[in-house]
Amino acid sequence: MKGIILAGGNGTRLYPATLGVSKQLLPVYDKPLIYHPLSVLMLAGIREILVISTRRDLDGFRRLLGDGGELGLSLCYAVQDEPRGLADAFLIGADHVGADQVALILGDNVFHGPRFSEVLRTAARGVDGCVLFGYPVHDPERYAVGEADDDGALISLEEKPRRPRSNRAITGLYFYDNDVLDIAKNLRPSARGELEITDVNLRYLAAGKARLIDLGRGFVWLDTGTHESLSEAGQYVRIMENRQGVRIACVEEIALRMGFIDRESCYRLGQRLAKSPYGRYVMEIAAHP
């Protein structure tokens, strides 16, 4: 399975903080926001990842992440000149995906929960259709909302419904089989001129090939598109890390645990950051199995 991180847009809801920098490069407590979606793909076992962003911001991502080799990854980059909808990622990333399955994650989403890697790797195994991830919210009318039967088959999907049939918001993480490339290519743009991801998902629903995984109790899903939500995400990460003594979305640790790199390589990555608590944590993890 290939991965795509969609980290485009101008972050206008975060102005003036994003006038000079991509919102996905802003800090969530102790690390850049993009570490969070990157860590999700890594936990799913995905190592070939395309980062899509604006022409202005791509150099910042390259400086931060390089080609991914130090983490045992293969990263490449592509430009989205202007927002054209989430499904545009499949047109931009068609060559990257090739004949494989693909996971798309939004660059401003934060996920955290127990046994998340197990959930992701199980979901990514032999995707036939699409796999969506639902999260219970108190205001489902603000989101795309999915309803599933007892076996997890998606039975309804509505975009910002006035009378929601469930409280399961569709998060910014999506797994697809290779058919998504043709579906996206043949989509009709919305009234806003965008290729909507919900229209892609509705095609799979109509074909009876859509599943919904419920990220229920114990999971956290945060969309960091506003100053308030970005601050809340930082507070959550700070509290959890300080109480539990572990780092959330520590990509060096994940690379080590997933077997992408060895302990010596992990330790060297920590050494470069040794003046920070984050760097010392990476060194500690690498030195003590």
Side-chain angles (χ1 to χ4, degrees):
M1 177 175 276
K2 303 289 181 59
I4 298 177
I5 301 175
L6 187 55
N10 296 314
T12 53
R13 290 186 295 166
L14 289 167
Y15 278 178
T18 50
L19 283 172
V21 65
S22 167
K23 69 177 176 180
Q24 288 86 8
L25 293 174
L26 294 176
V28 175
Y29 183 48
D30 59 349
K31 63 188 70 69
L33 173 55
I34 196 171
Y35 275 31
H36 288 271
L38 178 60
S39 70
V40 171
L41 296 183
M42 293 171 68
L43 287 170
I46 298 170
R47 302 176 71 169
E48 297 179 64
I49 299 168
L50 172 68
V51 178
I52 300 175
S53 191
T54 65
R55 194 174 303 277
R56 179 198 74 171
D57 293 321
L58 273 184
D59 283 346
F61 291 110
R62 287 194 179 99
R63 286 193 300 271
L64 176 67
L65 301 171
D67 65 3
E70 292 183 332
L71 294 171
L73 308 175
S74 175
L75 299 182
C76 55
Y77 301 87
V79 171
Q80 186 183 51
D81 289 318
E82 59 184 34
R84 290 187 294 269
L86 304 187
D88 186 48
F90 302 117
L91 305 187
I92 297 171
D95 289 342
H96 168 71
V97 176
D100 291 329
Q101 302 166 353
V102 59
L104 172 67
I105 188 168
L106 305 189
D108 60 359
N109 276 211
V110 172
F111 294 85
H112 184 237
R115 298 184 297 279
F116 195 26
S117 181
E118 179 182 330
V119 171
L120 293 169
R121 282 183 284 175
T122 300
R125 196 174 298 128
V127 175
D128 180 20
C130 78
V131 179
L132 309 178
F133 295 82
Y135 187 79
V137 295
H138 73 277
D139 50 355
E141 65 278 358
R142 295 180 52 234
Y143 303 89
V145 176
E147 180 187 16
D149 64 19
D150 292 340
D151 296 321
L154 191 69
I155 57 177
S156 74
L157 178 64
E158 299 176 281
E159 182 70 34
K160 298 181 180 178
R162 295 181 62 184
R163 296 181 177 84
R165 297 177 61 175
S166 88
N167 68 339
R168 266 31 181 195
I170 303 300
T171 69
L173 174 63
Y174 317 86
F175 289 176
Y176 296 100
D177 63 16
N178 195 257
D179 291 345
V180 73
L181 301 184
D182 285 332
I183 291 173
K185 185 165 48 176
N186 292 296
L187 275 186
R188 179 176 298 179
S190 68
R192 298 184 300 173
E194 298 185 353
L195 301 179
E196 303 290 353
I197 198 71
T198 297
D199 290 339
V200 171
N201 298 333
L202 285 170
R203 296 286 185 92
Y204 281 104
L205 173 61
K209 299 179 69 175
R211 292 197 300 121
L212 182 67
I213 293 178
D214 185 13
L215 301 178
R217 287 177 177 266
F219 272 88
V220 170
W221 169 58
L222 301 169
D223 180 347
T224 57
T226 67
H227 292 288
E228 290 77 12
S229 59
L230 185 65
S231 176
E232 288 170 359
Q235 292 172 17
Y236 172 80
V237 171
R238 178 183 63 82
I239 290 170
M240 294 300 292
E241 290 187 349
N242 288 341
R243 286 192 175 182
Q244 296 183 350
V246 298
R247 300 274 167 172
I248 296 172
C250 176
V251 293
E252 297 86 355
E253 179 180 10
I254 293 170
L256 176 63
R257 304 294 190 206
M258 295 294 293
F260 299 167
I261 60 175
D262 58 25
R263 293 192 176 277
E264 183 179 348
S265 299
C266 185
Y267 191 87
R268 286 199 302 268
L269 292 175
Q271 274 187 312
R272 295 193 318 190
L273 311 172
K275 290 187 176 181
S276 71
Y278 182 95
R280 293 192 291 273
Y281 173 83
V282 173
M283 294 167 64
E284 181 74 15
I285 288 294
H288 297 91

